[in-house]
Amino acid sequence: MKGRVALLGLCAVLLALLPLTGDDVLIQYGIDALLFATLAQAWNIIGGFAGYASFGNSSFYGLGTYGTAIAMAQLHLPFWVGLCLGAFLAVVCAVLIGLPILRLRGHYFAIATLGLSATLSAIIANLDISGRNIGLILPLTRNDTMFYELALVLLVAATGTVAWIARSRFGMGLIAIRENEDAAQVMGVNTTLYKVTALVLSAFFTALAGGIHAYWITFIDPASAFDLTLNVRMVIMAMFGGPGTVLGPVIGSFILTFVYQLLASSISTAAALLFGIVIVLAVIFMPRGLWDLAGGLRRLGPRYFLQNIRAHRL
Amino acid sequence: MSADTILEAQGLTMRFLGLVAVNQVSFALARGEILGLIGPNGAGKTTLISLISGTLLPVAGELLFEGRSINGLPPHARAHLGIGRTFQVMKPFPRLSVLENVTVGALFGFGGGEHNRSKAREQARALLDFTGLQHRVDQHADELGGPDRKRLELAKALAMKPKLLLLDEVMAGLTHAEIDEVVEIIKKIRDSGITILVIEHVMRAIRSLSDRIVVLHHGEMIAEGMPDAVLADPRVIEAYLGKRRA
């Protein structure tokens, strides 16, 4: 266990040293990858541990984005105040939305969260303070190293939180909810409190990632801030890596971001198609993600794939 | 209500869209006793257990646990007070190991449970020995066969350290030998000071276990008393076998 933590610490330090290469493109890819990994990790808390497939996370991202943008562009406040405002809005939204719709289970929950992004996007597009549907321009800061290190700190914080969850009583409660909510509640798990807390934590990290991205990219509008395809990518990356594990979503999103960039730069026209094929193959051969694949291969060897195919009656 | 009454139901009533599942049921459970709850299929037995554990809310009536009303309490709060149950349609945590399944009970049960995960795991391990699942510790719950699933339900509920244990057909589908084992386990549980309400169709088991028996029929309590007397009651025989056409 200690060796593992040390190894991870070493990885984090190595990642932190990457800007020393001075390669601007690499750093920009790095910021993108780190922010996506954070989003996947944040989704993992509500989707992977509690088992509630949230499509509301793009809303939390949008609120984090707009919180930061409004604070900086409209109120002329410092960046960190903007981050706090964005996170605050997202957390409030998670509590207000979570209390009623976390009563819904399975597909119904997913569908209810789907509407959230569109609603918030429409509201934002009609408010003067958020620049209506034209969007907001943030003060320009050319310091990619700072954004890179901020994104890394955020990813480490999110992963540290998930590592704590995985070992805690709270996390066991979330897993019990995912596995069988009826059984969990009669065994003493305060299911409402646990689910809302999980959604709040997820919203918090998602909003911070949105805030960092907004300042980095310097221009936001409702369509890009409340983009549902972003939410779909969070889900795909977390599922690809291994939902409900500590490192799966991070590794999954690093690999998928890398594969996507590789495809996009070599065969740009067919990149999306090939990326789709990668996802389909992953779902067929390793439906529980890379993490389960690693364990399964050690246990069963190639029979692991056969077992998955059989389990899905393909 | 006497001092050693642990649970008292007064006029409990439950309706589903006009169907009266439980109608004006009143009874009391003395601390340390085993109360058998029997009745034909659809009599309202499981509904009654769900009302006590809080997964269903009654349309009328009052529930007192250790002298205090628990009507407004959600299921998890009742678990913290010391009410544990098993499910007739078993609800294991399918992709968790047997040990983890039981650990959840230890982490969250009576008084909020044991907050330390490794201590909770040790308690769970001891209960797996007690219920005869020690050789299944690391298996996933969805890999277990029927009898072991029944044992797992029991172990999960016991891990909560309940004061009152509600058992919903833990013997259904078991062989004679397995039933005898479970009967012995339940007696040991009672001897450790836990009050038990047991639903069972296996008459041999219910007769040997119960201190008293309550009979439900169409949601109404039609008999209550000592096992031999209740099982010989003509109304009870009629409920099970129908009216003799002479």
Side-chain angles (χ1 to χ4, degrees):
Chain A
M1 188 63 217
K2 268 199 177 136
R4 215 165 163 199
V5 173
L7 188 68
L8 285 175
L10 186 68
C11 288
V13 170
L14 285 178
L15 280 174
L17 294 176
L18 184 124
L20 292 180
T21 59
D23 183 338
D24 289 345
V25 178
L26 188 63
I27 295 171
Q28 283 178 13
Y29 281 160
I31 297 172
D32 220 39
L34 290 171
L35 288 178
F36 264 117
T38 305
L39 293 178
Q41 187 66 285
W43 186 86
N44 187 31
I45 299 173
I46 183 73
F49 280 87
Y52 275 78
S54 165
F55 286 91
N57 280 35
S58 56
S59 315
F60 306 139
Y61 180 86
L63 288 173
T65 301
Y66 265 97
T68 305
I70 290 171
M72 294 182 76
Q74 304 282 53
L75 309 173
H76 308 291
L77 293 166
F79 174 51
W80 66 268
V81 178
L83 276 185
C84 292
L85 178 64
F88 174 74
L89 290 175
V91 164
V92 170
C93 176
V95 174
L96 291 180
I97 292 301
L99 281 175
I101 69 172
L102 280 167
R103 293 164 169 271
L104 305 169
R105 294 188 185 176
H107 303 316
Y108 297 102
F109 172 80
I111 291 165
T113 57
L114 267 177
L116 191 57
S117 282
T119 311
L120 285 175
S121 169
I123 293 171
I124 293 281
N126 284 290
L127 290 178
D128 280 328
I129 193 165
S130 54
R132 294 188 169 267
N133 50 9
I134 299 161
L136 291 172
I137 297 170
L138 287 83
L140 188 64
T141 304
R142 286 201 174 278
N143 187 350
D144 279 358
T145 302
M146 178 196 81
F147 289 116
Y148 179 91
E149 301 297 352
L150 266 179
L152 181 62
V153 168
L154 183 59
L155 176 59
V156 169
T159 305
T161 305
V162 171
W164 170 79
I165 288 173
R167 299 167 56 78
S168 70
R169 175 171 173 270
F170 173 66
M172 202 69 214
L174 293 184
I175 291 170
I177 289 170
R178 178 188 75 203
E179 294 292 317
N180 192 320
E181 194 163 339
D182 290 333
Q185 65 172 351
V186 301
M187 290 173 84
V189 179
N190 186 344
T191 50
T192 307
L193 177 69
Y194 276 47
K195 288 185 291 185
V196 171
T197 308
L199 191 66
V200 161
L201 283 172
S202 189
F204 177 74
F205 288 112
T206 306
L208 291 180
I212 293 173
H213 189 261
Y215 190 25
W216 178 47
I217 219 81
T218 69
F219 170 73
I220 62 162
D221 64 359
S224 65
F226 294 93
D227 184 5
L228 259 181
T229 56
L230 188 72
N231 204 129
V232 175
R233 283 178 75 177
M234 299 175 200
V235 178
I236 289 174
M237 287 173 168
M239 299 298 279
F240 181 83
T245 65
V246 177
L247 292 177
V250 178
I251 295 168
S253 60
F254 280 172
I255 291 177
L256 283 186
T257 308
F258 177 74
V259 169
Y260 190 78
Q261 299 293 0
L262 202 69
L263 291 171
S265 57
S266 52
I267 28 165
S268 51
T269 43
L273 177 72
L274 286 172
F275 190 68
I277 291 173
V278 170
I279 300 296
V280 170
L281 290 178
V283 170
I284 291 173
F285 287 103
M286 38 172 247
R288 284 176 196 167
L290 284 172
W291 210 253
D292 192 62
L293 171 79
L297 278 183
R298 212 177 307 137
R299 218 171 50 243
L300 302 167
R303 275 199 300 135
Y304 173 78
F305 298 116
L306 283 177
Q307 204 179 49
N308 281 332
I309 291 171
R310 225 175 273 141
H312 290 79
R313 298 197 175 84
L314 284 167
Chain B
M1 184 164 155
S2 66
D4 61 349
T5 300
I6 185 162
L7 182 87
E8 192 174 346
Q10 299 164 346
L12 270 191
T13 302
M14 186 66 201
R15 269 193 298 269
F16 299 106
L17 296 171
L19 173 84
V20 182
V22 172
N23 194 12
Q24 292 288 329
V25 169
S26 303
F27 67 94
L29 257 168
R31 201 180 289 277
E33 82 169 330
I34 299 182
L35 179 69
L37 180 58
I38 65 170
N41 287 328
K45 306 183 293 295
T46 296
T47 303
L48 188 58
I49 277 196
S50 296
L51 291 173
I52 299 171
S53 67
T55 51
L56 291 175
L57 296 175
V59 294
E62 183 96 32
L63 267 172
L64 300 172
F65 185 73
E66 297 189 315
R68 98 174 237 223
S69 170
I70 57 168
N71 270 34
L73 294 183
H76 70 89
R78 299 188 193 195
H80 294 175
L81 287 180
I83 300 178
R85 75 170 284 186
T86 67
F87 286 95
Q88 179 189 6
V89 181
M90 293 159 281
K91 295 183 189 292
F93 303 121
R95 288 183 300 151
L96 298 187
S97 74
V98 166
L99 181 63
E100 287 171 316
N101 262 273
V102 181
T103 304
V104 172
L107 275 173
F108 290 96
F110 173 65
E114 165 60 60
H115 286 217
N116 181 308
R117 259 173 86 159
S118 50
K119 278 187 194 156
R121 204 174 307 125
E122 285 321 304
Q123 294 175 6
R125 211 178 276 279
L127 280 169
L128 290 179
D129 289 342
F130 177 68
T131 48
L133 282 169
Q134 60 274 57
H135 53 297
R136 299 266 185 250
V137 172
D138 294 320
Q139 266 180 291
H140 277 195
D142 60 0
E143 294 166 6
L144 296 184
D148 281 343
R149 278 181 190 227
K150 292 281 184 191
R151 288 200 177 96
L152 178 60
E153 276 288 305
L154 194 58
K156 280 166 68 185
L158 279 177
M160 298 164 60
K161 299 205 187 77
K163 293 179 180 173
L164 168 63
L165 184 58
L166 312 167
L167 300 176
D168 196 350
E169 295 208 30
V170 286
M171 297 176 215
L174 300 188
T175 64
H176 275 295
E178 286 163 347
I179 287 172
D180 291 340
E181 276 174 42
V182 175
V183 165
E184 283 316 303
I185 289 175
I186 294 175
K187 282 181 175 164
K188 275 190 209 159
I189 296 169
R190 190 264 299 275
D191 292 344
S192 75
I194 297 173
T195 310
I196 297 171
L197 176 68
V198 53
I199 295 180
E200 206 50 69
H201 278 303
V202 183
M203 281 307 153
R204 201 166 55 91
I206 209 90
R207 193 191 290 265
S208 80
L209 271 177
S210 309
D211 299 312
R212 283 190 307 136
I213 288 181
V214 163
V215 186
L216 281 186
H217 185 42
H218 294 319
E220 310 208 5
M221 225 170 97
I222 58 167
E224 178 191 8
M226 295 308 192
D228 289 331
V230 166
L231 294 177
D233 187 321
R235 282 172 306 170
V236 176
I237 294 169
E238 188 190 314
Y240 269 93
L241 300 176
K243 201 170 261 181
R244 174 175 294 159
R245 292 190 200 152

